[in-house]
């Protein structure tokens, strides 16, 4: 029998054990590490919840270019896009799919100047035109210039905005295209996508999620902004601007006089709901989360107050004092970018920077489910970046109406968002992405 000294063996075991502890507990770079509060019953953090579903590009989309383009075009279509950058991008996605549906040639879209949004950036000012044409090859023909015989003409404008019910483009727009050969339109809000052949749906998906890239100069600025943000970081799309609150027709108690004045100035004829109707509206999830409510939501997800947070938001956020007093590492593009450059930027350009940072952030959390959020979430799914979450305004309103508060409220919010994250709720729209069970 071989005798082994006890003391050296004990020292070896102790040293080896400590080494393993250091290895396992050391945070990996660019992964959000969220410590569990002592005695917490919420598990670890929202990003550690096991996902049971992933959203991935559908096979028919990725093979859409294999369907031959028609030998003869039915004419030329220009998509006219209005609003803010993300609304215009949504119209562009729909318009490209419609042009393929109608066997048309696509003219570069027109980004309309919208005084309300303070925009003055065209498609070519924000997106790489040559890259767009290249990536759409095989899906649809795109031209920068029209043939000489119609180049001097204005397109025949087809009004889709006043149509009621589900809009069918083959029935309503194709006759105008065949008659005039060059038309323009803004896609209707309600569409019969169920009638789209797969090659038309694939064209929409390709345009929306694969063919759009920022111009080289704008991408350089976006990378500069991204690199200036301390890593790892969470991108938060917070919507509590005067126009957003006014549009929602919601009322909030205990706001500062300056916030109340700004909201009233933005209301115009959109008066807030009152009494029982106000409660019903709020319980339907129609009211934007305040910064203070957002703090409580983030804490319910065990996101520590030391987290680096990039605010992907427009100008004019209200009531931010309560947020920044709790989450102190908050960064904005106006603070990180050269002030001279920033003041020269138009609204579309600023939105494009938020869009780039949010797609590439370590985590993305949205307090709303608007055009930007849908596109960012889908692109993150496309890139297999799954730390994405939409805070549930509906759940918050329902739980608080029942009188839940403090730790009880946080536990209930945790359960709601844990389930949402596990099934990938809101990660991507089923128009282009298919469920993949893990």
């Amino acid at each position: 029998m071989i005798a082994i000294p006890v003391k050296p063996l004990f020292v070896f075991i102790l040293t080896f054990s400590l080494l393993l502890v250091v290895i396992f507990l050391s945070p990996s770079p660019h992964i959000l590490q969220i410590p569990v509060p002592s005695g917490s019953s919420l598990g670890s953090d929202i990003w550690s919840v096991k996902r049971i579903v992933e959203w991935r590009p559908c096979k028919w989309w990725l093979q859409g270019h294999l369907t031959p383009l028609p030998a003869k075009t039915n004419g030329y279509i220009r998509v006219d896009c209005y609003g803010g950058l993300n609304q215009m991008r949504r119209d562009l996605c729909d318009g490209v799919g419609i042009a393929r549906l109608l066997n048309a040639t696509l003219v570069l879209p027109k980004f309309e100047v919208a005084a309300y949004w303070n925009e003055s950036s065209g498609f070519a000012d924000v997106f790489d035109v040559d890259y767009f044409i290249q990536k759409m090859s095989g899906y649809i023909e795109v031209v920068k210039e029209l043939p000489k015989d119609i180049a001097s003409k204005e397109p025949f404008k087809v009004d889709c905005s006043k149509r009621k019910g589900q809009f069918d483009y083959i029935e309503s727009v194709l006759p105008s295209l065949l008659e005039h050969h060059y038309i323009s339109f803004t896609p209707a809000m309600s569409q019969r996508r169920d009638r789209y052949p797969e090659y038309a749906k694939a064209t929409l998906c390709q345009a929306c999620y694969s063919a759009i890239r920022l111009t080289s100069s704008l991408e350089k600025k976006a990378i500069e902004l991204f690199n200036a943000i301390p890593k790892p970081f969470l991108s938060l799309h917070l919507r509590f601007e005067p126009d957003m609150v006014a549009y929602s027709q919601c009322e909030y108690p205990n706001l500062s006089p300056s916030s109340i004045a700004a909201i009233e100035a933005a209301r115009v004829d959109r008066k807030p709901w009152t009494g029982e109707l106000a409660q019903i509206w709020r319980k339907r999830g129609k009211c934007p989360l305040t910064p203070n409510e957002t703090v409580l939501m983030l804490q319910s997800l065990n996101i520590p107050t030391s987290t680096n947070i990039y605010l992907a938001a427009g100008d004019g956020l209200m009531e931010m004092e309560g947020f920044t007093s709790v989450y102190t590492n908050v960064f904005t593009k106006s603070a990180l970018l050269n002030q001279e450059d920033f003041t020269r930027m138009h609204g579309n350009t600023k939105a494009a920077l938020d869009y780039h940072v949010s797609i590439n952030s370590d985590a993305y959390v949205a307090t709303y489910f608007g055009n930007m959020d849908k596109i960012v979430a889908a692109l993150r799914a496309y890139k297999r970046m799954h730390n994405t979450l939409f805070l549930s305004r509906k759940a918050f309103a329902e739980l608080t109406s029942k009188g839940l508060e403090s730790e009880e409220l946080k536990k209930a919010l945790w359960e709601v968002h844990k389930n949402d994250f596990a099934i990938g709720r809101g990660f991507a729209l089923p128009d282009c992405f298919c469920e993949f069970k893990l």
Side-chain angles (χ1 to χ4, degrees):
M1 181 175 179
I2 301 173
I4 301 176
V6 176
K7 187 174 180 180
L9 179 62
F10 173 77
V11 171
F12 170 77
I13 293 173
L14 180 62
T15 303
F16 184 70
S17 300
L18 288 172
L19 180 62
L20 287 177
V21 169
V22 170
I23 291 171
F24 286 118
L25 294 185
S26 296
S28 301
H30 289 255
I31 300 296
L32 286 177
Q33 297 289 318
I34 301 179
V36 185
S38 177
S40 172
S41 61
L42 303 181
S44 50
D45 62 80
I46 195 64
W47 313 123
S48 67
V49 170
K50 184 179 179 181
R51 289 175 289 105
I52 59 177
V53 167
E54 275 187 7
W55 291 86
R56 299 179 184 176
C58 297
K59 187 176 181 180
W60 49 258
W61 160 17
L62 301 179
Q63 295 180 350
H65 63 287
L66 300 177
T67 302
L69 294 173
K72 184 180 178 182
T73 180
N74 285 332
Y76 296 84
I77 286 179
R78 188 188 74 197
V79 184
D80 294 342
C81 307
Y82 293 86
L85 177 67
N86 295 294
Q87 182 179 334
M88 290 195 287
R89 179 170 177 157
R90 181 204 65 197
D91 288 345
L92 168 63
C93 298
D94 288 335
V96 174
I98 295 160
R100 181 66 180 94
L101 175 70
L102 303 181
N103 285 336
T105 298
L106 183 72
V107 181
L108 284 178
K110 181 180 180 182
F111 278 17
E112 291 284 357
V113 175
Y116 177 80
W117 294 95
N118 190 28
E119 305 291 357
S120 56
S121 306
F123 180 81
D125 296 316
V126 181
F127 298 119
D128 187 329
V129 171
D130 292 330
Y131 182 80
F132 179 75
I133 294 173
Q134 173 199 333
K135 294 295 286 186
M136 294 311 300
S137 177
Y139 287 87
I140 191 171
E141 184 181 0
V142 185
V143 296
K144 294 181 182 179
E145 298 178 354
L146 291 161
K148 290 182 179 179
D149 58 328
I150 60 172
S152 60
K153 300 177 183 178
E154 280 297 308
F156 177 80
K157 190 170 182 62
V158 180
D159 185 4
C160 305
S161 61
K162 296 179 182 178
R163 308 282 179 166
K164 301 293 184 182
Q166 295 288 306
F167 192 80
D168 191 301
Y169 288 93
I170 292 178
E171 295 174 1
S172 303
V173 177
L174 182 57
S176 296
L177 177 64
L178 294 173
E179 179 183 353
H180 298 280
H181 306 295
Y182 179 32
I183 66 171
S184 69
F185 65 86
T186 299
M189 292 297 291
S190 299
Q191 302 174 45
R192 292 299 305 266
R193 284 189 187 145
D194 58 313
R195 295 188 181 182
Y196 282 23
E198 284 190 346
Y199 62 79
K201 289 196 290 184
T203 303
L204 180 155
C205 300
Q206 180 72 1
C208 209
Y209 304 117
S210 183
I212 294 181
R213 183 174 76 180
L214 299 179
T215 61
S216 57
S217 60
L218 193 49
E219 186 173 48
K220 181 180 178 182
K221 186 62 64 178
I223 292 172
E224 176 188 327
L225 174 60
F226 180 83
N227 290 339
I229 304 169
K231 312 296 186 300
F233 74 96
L234 178 153
S235 180
L236 176 66
H237 190 207
L238 183 56
R239 299 301 312 272
F240 202 69
E241 305 96 339
D243 59 331
M244 187 69 183
V245 176
Y247 183 79
S248 73
Q249 296 182 272
C250 298
E251 277 199 309
Y252 297 84
N254 306 319
L255 295 184
S256 67
S258 60
S259 295
I260 294 172
I263 294 167
E264 287 304 316
R267 280 204 194 278
V268 191
D269 58 347
R270 297 186 70 88
K271 300 302 180 184
W273 298 108
T274 58
E276 187 178 349
L277 285 175
Q279 292 301 315
I280 294 171
W281 192 246
R282 185 171 291 276
K283 286 181 182 179
R284 288 176 61 191
K286 299 295 185 178
C287 296
L289 291 171
T290 70
N292 284 336
E293 290 169 344
T294 304
V295 165
L296 191 148
M297 297 277 263
L298 294 179
Q299 289 178 326
S300 76
L301 306 177
N302 271 354
I303 295 178
T305 56
S306 59
T307 301
N308 296 319
I309 295 179
Y310 173 78
L311 274 184
D315 301 325
L317 275 179
M318 303 180 296
E319 305 292 313
M320 283 302 296
E321 296 81 5
F323 186 96
T324 54
S325 67
V326 178
Y327 284 91
T328 53
N329 296 332
V330 176
F331 302 89
T332 63
K333 51 187 171 293
S334 60
L336 294 171
L337 292 174
N338 177 282
Q339 283 303 300
E340 187 177 345
D341 285 351
F342 184 77
T343 52
R344 284 203 304 262
M345 290 180 184
H346 296 295
N348 278 345
T349 305
K350 294 176 183 177
L353 297 181
D354 284 342
Y355 152 82
H356 176 90
V357 169
S358 296
I359 290 168
N360 295 288
S361 59
D362 298 282
Y364 179 71
V365 174
T367 63
Y368 206 70
F369 194 54
N371 293 315
M372 172 177 169
D373 306 303
K374 294 170 186 175
I375 291 173
V376 167
L379 281 165
R380 287 177 64 84
Y382 183 63
K383 297 178 68 172
R384 306 289 289 274
M385 300 176 72
H386 301 292
N387 282 1
T388 303
L389 190 68
F390 293 91
L391 300 184
S392 176
R393 291 164 291 149
K394 183 178 179 181
F396 183 85
E398 288 177 345
L399 292 170
T400 52
S401 71
K402 294 176 182 177
L404 270 65
E405 56 185 25
S406 204
E407 291 305 311
E408 189 180 16
L409 176 59
K410 289 180 181 179
K411 288 177 182 178
L413 288 169
W414 165 266
E415 289 300 321
V416 169
H417 292 97
K418 178 188 73 173
N419 295 332
D420 284 355
F421 184 74
I423 63 174
R425 191 188 303 279
F427 275 31
L429 302 180
D431 288 339
C432 301
F433 293 81
C434 295
E435 278 189 359
F436 182 84
K437 296 193 184 305
L438 300 177

